[in-house]
Amino acid sequence: MKKILLAVCISASAIAFAQDYSVPAASPRQKVEQQFSMSKITVDYGRPGVKGRKIFGELVPYGQVWRAGANSSTKITFGQSVNFGGKTVQAGTYGLFIVPTEKEWKVILNKDFQQWGAYTYDPKQDVVDVTVPVNTLADKQEWFEITLNPTDENSGNLVIKWDMAQAEIPLKPAKPDAVTKIAEKLKEIKKIESDAAKSKG
Protein backbone atom coordinates (compact mmCIF):
# COMPACT_ATOMS: atom_id res chain seq x y z
CA MET A 1 0.00 0.00 0.00
CA LYS A 2 2.82 2.34 0.92
CA LYS A 3 4.47 1.66 -2.45
CA ILE A 4 1.24 2.51 -4.31
CA LEU A 5 0.84 5.76 -2.35
CA LEU A 6 4.46 6.66 -3.03
CA ALA A 7 4.00 5.97 -6.76
CA VAL A 8 0.85 8.14 -6.81
CA CYS A 9 2.66 10.97 -5.01
CA ILE A 10 5.61 10.79 -7.42
CA SER A 11 3.23 10.79 -10.44
CA ALA A 12 1.31 13.79 -9.06
CA SER A 13 4.59 15.66 -8.45
CA ALA A 14 5.79 14.86 -11.98
CA ILE A 15 2.53 16.15 -13.50
CA ALA A 16 2.71 19.36 -11.46
CA PHE A 17 6.34 19.80 -12.51
CA ALA A 18 5.48 19.21 -16.18
CA GLN A 19 2.77 21.87 -16.06
CA ASP A 20 5.34 24.50 -15.11
CA TYR A 21 7.92 23.48 -17.71
CA SER A 22 7.98 22.60 -21.40
CA VAL A 23 10.50 21.52 -23.98
CA PRO A 24 12.42 24.63 -25.20
CA ALA A 25 10.90 25.94 -28.44
CA ALA A 26 13.09 26.40 -31.48
CA SER A 27 10.95 29.44 -32.35
CA PRO A 28 9.48 30.74 -29.06
CA ARG A 29 6.03 32.30 -29.17
CA GLN A 30 5.65 35.91 -28.09
CA LYS A 31 2.66 38.15 -27.48
CA VAL A 32 3.15 41.92 -27.69
CA GLU A 33 0.46 44.26 -26.40
CA GLN A 34 0.56 48.04 -26.76
CA GLN A 35 -1.86 50.78 -25.75
CA PHE A 36 -2.96 52.49 -28.96
CA SER A 37 -5.17 55.57 -29.05
CA MET A 38 -8.30 54.63 -27.03
CA SER A 39 -7.75 50.87 -27.17
CA LYS A 40 -4.82 48.51 -27.77
CA ILE A 41 -3.07 46.43 -30.41
CA THR A 42 -1.94 42.84 -29.74
CA VAL A 43 0.45 40.78 -31.86
CA ASP A 44 0.94 37.03 -31.30
CA TYR A 45 3.79 35.46 -33.30
CA GLY A 46 6.57 32.87 -33.43
CA ARG A 47 10.21 34.04 -33.26
CA PRO A 48 12.58 32.04 -35.47
CA GLY A 49 16.34 32.61 -35.19
CA VAL A 50 18.81 33.29 -38.00
CA LYS A 51 21.09 30.46 -36.79
CA GLY A 52 23.73 31.12 -39.44
CA ARG A 53 21.29 30.84 -42.35
CA LYS A 54 20.71 33.22 -45.24
CA ILE A 55 17.20 34.47 -44.56
CA PHE A 56 15.66 36.69 -47.22
CA GLY A 57 16.00 35.37 -50.74
CA GLU A 58 16.71 31.81 -49.53
CA LEU A 59 15.00 30.56 -46.33
CA VAL A 60 12.27 33.16 -46.98
CA PRO A 61 12.06 33.29 -50.82
CA TYR A 62 11.49 36.60 -52.54
CA GLY A 63 8.10 37.06 -54.17
CA GLN A 64 6.32 34.37 -52.13
CA VAL A 65 3.88 34.83 -49.27
CA TRP A 66 5.45 34.25 -45.83
CA ARG A 67 3.79 33.80 -42.44
CA ALA A 68 5.78 36.67 -40.84
CA GLY A 69 7.26 34.45 -38.15
CA ALA A 70 7.27 30.73 -37.41
CA ASN A 71 4.76 27.92 -36.87
CA SER A 72 1.12 29.07 -36.74
CA SER A 73 0.44 32.32 -38.58
CA THR A 74 1.05 35.67 -36.93
CA LYS A 75 -2.11 37.21 -35.45
CA ILE A 76 -2.70 40.93 -35.00
CA THR A 77 -5.71 42.33 -33.12
CA PHE A 78 -6.88 45.93 -33.33
CA GLY A 79 -9.15 47.20 -30.55
CA GLN A 80 -10.49 49.96 -32.78
CA SER A 81 -10.58 50.71 -36.50
CA VAL A 82 -7.15 51.84 -37.69
CA ASN A 83 -5.39 53.43 -40.63
CA PHE A 84 -2.90 50.69 -41.53
CA GLY A 85 -0.22 52.21 -43.76
CA GLY A 86 -2.81 54.48 -45.38
CA LYS A 87 -5.67 51.96 -45.60
CA THR A 88 -8.64 51.60 -43.25
CA VAL A 89 -8.97 48.35 -41.30
CA GLN A 90 -11.90 47.58 -39.00
CA ALA A 91 -11.37 46.47 -35.38
CA GLY A 92 -10.78 42.72 -35.14
CA THR A 93 -8.15 39.96 -35.48
CA TYR A 94 -6.26 39.26 -38.70
CA GLY A 95 -3.50 37.01 -40.00
CA LEU A 96 -0.36 39.02 -40.84
CA PHE A 97 1.60 37.91 -43.91
CA ILE A 98 4.50 39.35 -45.91
CA VAL A 99 5.57 39.01 -49.52
CA PRO A 100 9.23 40.14 -49.39
CA THR A 101 11.42 41.47 -52.17
CA GLU A 102 14.92 42.85 -51.81
CA LYS A 103 13.88 46.50 -51.51
CA GLU A 104 10.28 46.42 -50.30
CA TRP A 105 7.75 44.22 -48.52
CA LYS A 106 4.06 43.80 -49.21
CA VAL A 107 2.44 43.48 -45.78
CA ILE A 108 -0.95 41.74 -45.86
CA LEU A 109 -3.82 41.46 -43.38
CA ASN A 110 -5.92 38.37 -44.05
CA LYS A 111 -9.25 37.26 -42.54
CA ASP A 112 -7.88 33.77 -41.77
CA PHE A 113 -5.76 34.13 -38.62
CA GLN A 114 -5.97 30.48 -37.50
CA GLN A 115 -3.95 28.73 -40.19
CA TRP A 116 -0.59 26.99 -39.76
CA GLY A 117 2.08 28.94 -41.58
CA ALA A 118 0.99 30.14 -45.02
CA TYR A 119 0.23 26.72 -46.49
CA THR A 120 -3.52 27.40 -46.82
CA TYR A 121 -3.15 31.14 -47.46
CA ASP A 122 -5.97 32.39 -49.69
CA PRO A 123 -5.52 35.84 -51.29
CA LYS A 124 -9.31 36.08 -51.60
CA GLN A 125 -9.36 36.43 -47.81
CA ASP A 126 -7.08 39.50 -47.88
CA VAL A 127 -8.50 42.59 -46.22
CA VAL A 128 -5.75 45.07 -47.15
CA ASP A 129 -2.14 45.07 -48.28
CA VAL A 130 0.42 47.86 -48.11
CA THR A 131 3.88 48.01 -49.64
CA VAL A 132 6.65 49.52 -47.51
CA PRO A 133 10.39 50.00 -48.07
CA VAL A 134 12.94 47.73 -46.41
CA ASN A 135 15.84 49.30 -44.54
CA THR A 136 19.17 47.64 -43.76
CA LEU A 137 19.98 47.35 -40.06
CA ALA A 138 23.37 48.36 -38.69
CA ASP A 139 23.43 45.24 -36.48
CA LYS A 140 22.02 41.78 -37.14
CA GLN A 141 18.67 40.96 -35.52
CA GLU A 142 19.16 37.29 -34.58
CA TRP A 143 15.57 36.59 -33.51
CA PHE A 144 12.62 37.69 -35.63
CA GLU A 145 10.89 40.58 -33.87
CA ILE A 146 7.68 42.59 -34.17
CA THR A 147 7.33 45.68 -32.00
CA LEU A 148 4.83 48.52 -31.65
CA ASN A 149 6.48 51.90 -31.25
CA PRO A 150 4.24 54.87 -30.38
CA THR A 151 5.04 58.13 -32.18
CA ASP A 152 2.46 60.15 -30.21
CA GLU A 153 -0.62 59.40 -28.08
CA ASN A 154 -2.71 58.49 -31.13
CA SER A 155 -0.26 56.94 -33.60
CA GLY A 156 2.70 54.61 -33.92
CA ASN A 157 4.63 52.21 -36.12
CA LEU A 158 4.43 48.46 -36.45
CA VAL A 159 8.13 47.53 -36.76
CA ILE A 160 9.17 44.17 -38.25
CA LYS A 161 12.82 43.13 -38.29
CA TRP A 162 14.93 40.05 -38.80
CA ASP A 163 18.51 39.40 -39.86
CA MET A 164 19.63 42.67 -41.52
CA ALA A 165 16.17 43.85 -42.69
CA GLN A 166 13.60 46.16 -41.10
CA ALA A 167 10.26 47.51 -42.30
CA GLU A 168 7.76 49.84 -40.62
CA ILE A 169 4.03 50.28 -41.17
CA PRO A 170 2.55 53.54 -39.83
CA LEU A 171 -0.61 53.20 -37.72
CA LYS A 172 -3.19 55.86 -36.91
CA PRO A 173 -6.84 55.88 -35.83
CA ALA A 174 -9.16 55.45 -38.82
CA LYS A 175 -11.41 58.26 -37.53
CA PRO A 176 -9.16 60.79 -35.78
CA ASP A 177 -11.91 63.42 -35.37
CA ALA A 178 -14.14 60.94 -33.57
CA VAL A 179 -11.22 59.88 -31.36
CA THR A 180 -10.54 63.51 -30.40
CA LYS A 181 -14.20 64.11 -29.48
CA ILE A 182 -14.44 60.90 -27.45
CA ALA A 183 -11.15 61.70 -25.66
CA GLU A 184 -12.49 65.15 -24.72
CA LYS A 185 -15.69 63.60 -23.32
CA LEU A 186 -13.69 61.02 -21.36
CA LYS A 187 -11.57 63.81 -19.85
CA GLU A 188 -14.77 65.66 -18.83
CA ILE A 189 -16.13 62.50 -17.18
CA LYS A 190 -12.86 61.93 -15.31
CA LYS A 191 -12.93 65.55 -14.08
CA ILE A 192 -16.53 65.16 -12.86
CA GLU A 193 -15.56 61.94 -11.03
CA SER A 194 -12.51 63.64 -9.50
CA ASP A 195 -14.53 66.69 -8.37
CA ALA A 196 -17.21 64.40 -6.88
CA ALA A 197 -14.57 62.44 -4.96
CA LYS A 198 -13.07 65.69 -3.59
CA SER A 199 -16.45 67.02 -2.46
CA LYS A 200 -17.12 63.77 -0.55
CA GLY A 201 -13.75 64.07 1.17
Side-chain angles (χ1 to χ4, degrees):
M1 188 69 181
K2 284 182 180 178
K3 286 182 179 178
I4 293 169
L5 283 172
L6 182 63
V8 168
C9 289
I10 290 168
S11 296
S13 297
I15 290 165
F17 180 84
Q19 286 174 342
D20 291 332
Y21 295 90
S22 59
V23 175
S27 301
R29 202 79 190 169
Q30 181 166 43
K31 185 179 274 190
V32 178
E33 190 172 277
Q34 174 72 50
Q35 175 74 29
F36 175 80
S37 187
M38 296 183 304
S39 60
K40 62 186 178 183
I41 297 173
T42 306
V43 184
D44 182 335
Y45 69 106
R47 301 192 64 191
V50 174
K51 300 176 183 176
R53 300 172 293 184
K54 179 169 171 48
I55 302 302
F56 296 104
E58 283 196 15
L59 182 68
V60 178
Y62 287 138
Q64 294 182 28
V65 70
W66 173 53
R67 69 187 107 186
N71 303 324
S72 58
S73 62
T74 293
K75 293 185 280 291
I76 185 164
T77 302
F78 302 110
Q80 67 188 73
S81 58
V82 299
N83 179 311
F84 183 82
K87 297 183 180 180
T88 300
V89 178
Q90 298 305 312
T93 300
Y94 303 92
L96 177 71
F97 298 90
I98 294 170
V99 177
T101 64
E102 196 171 353
K103 295 187 177 178
E104 57 188 22
W105 289 353
K106 181 195 282 187
V107 183
I108 302 163
L109 297 182
N110 186 277
K111 289 178 187 175
D112 186 356
F113 58 86
Q114 294 182 308
Q115 58 187 289
W116 179 268
Y119 303 109
T120 58
Y121 167 78
D122 180 1
K124 291 176 185 172
Q125 296 288 311
D126 290 351
V127 177
V128 298
D129 65 74
V130 297
T131 300
V132 292
V134 174
N135 299 312
T136 302
L137 293 167
D139 299 305
K140 182 189 285 189
Q141 175 72 33
E142 174 64 28
W143 296 94
F144 178 73
E145 182 178 66
I146 299 176
T147 52
L148 294 154
N149 292 338
T151 50
D152 63 37
E153 61 185 16
N154 274 313
S155 61
N157 291 318
L158 181 72
V159 183
I160 304 169
K161 54 186 176 180
W162 195 22
D163 197 9
M164 300 302 294
Q166 173 178 298
E168 297 185 8
I169 302 95
L171 303 170
K172 293 185 288 189
K175 299 175 181 175
D177 292 343
V179 167
T180 301
K181 287 176 184 175
I182 294 167
E184 286 170 357
K185 293 296 180 187
L186 288 171
K187 285 175 185 175
E188 286 177 21
I189 291 165
K190 286 196 179 293
K191 188 177 185 308
I192 291 166
E193 288 175 344
S194 177
D195 291 346
K198 285 176 184 175
S199 65
K200 282 182 182 178

